[in-house]
């Protein structure tokens, strides 16, 4: 169950299975979580002003990750960026 003031998390990674399990686990803990394995047009598909934390998976290319940090940071300077751990949903959930 989420609340209106729950932390809002966006996961960006490659493995849809890891993303799905991580989102489900975060939502079970009360977070408002979304995820994508499409590294393009993040700014057009998500309301980044409403995101508190972005977690990058290890398969996001370094140049794309740098560009996303720049784009997202320009829209939401208060967002926190985190490098996800090991592609294991439980570790990602605990990291958040």
């Amino acid at each position: 169950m989420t609340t209106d003031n729950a932390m809002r998390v966006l996961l960006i990674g490659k493995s849809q299975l890891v993303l799905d399990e991580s989102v489900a686990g975060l939502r079970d803990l009360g977070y408002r979580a979304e995820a994508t394995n499409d590294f393009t047009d993040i700014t057009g598909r998500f309301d980044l002003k409403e995101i508190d934390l972005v977690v990058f998976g290890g398969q996001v290319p370094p140049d794309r990750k740098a560009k996303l940090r720049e784009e997202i940071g320009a829209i939401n300077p208060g967002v926190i960026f985190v490098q996800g751990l090991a592609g294991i949903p439980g570790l990602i959930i605990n990291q958040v």
Side-chain angles (χ1 to χ4, degrees):
M1 178 197 289
T2 61
T3 62
D4 287 342
N5 61 352
M7 179 181 269
R8 298 151 304 183
V9 180
L10 174 61
L11 306 173
I12 303 172
K14 186 173 183 181
S15 170
Q16 191 63 52
L17 179 62
V18 171
L19 293 171
D20 290 346
E21 289 182 17
S22 298
V23 165
L26 288 168
R27 288 180 178 168
D28 286 347
L29 293 173
Y31 293 92
R32 290 174 37 199
E34 298 180 87
T36 185
N37 64 358
D38 181 354
F39 308 152
T40 61
D41 195 30
I42 300 292
T43 58
R45 289 184 290 124
F46 296 96
D47 183 359
L48 298 171
K49 292 178 185 173
E50 296 297 319
I51 299 295
D52 300 304
L53 176 72
V54 174
V55 180
F56 290 111
Q59 296 298 311
V60 180
D63 58 329
R64 186 65 187 133
K65 190 181 319 178
K67 184 68 174 167
L68 285 169
R69 283 179 180 259
E70 180 183 312
E71 291 174 358
I72 295 168
I75 294 168
N76 182 349
V79 73
I80 299 167
F81 295 100
V82 175
Q83 178 60 49
L85 295 174
I88 300 170
L91 290 177
I92 296 167
I93 292 164
N94 287 337
Q95 188 178 14
V96 170

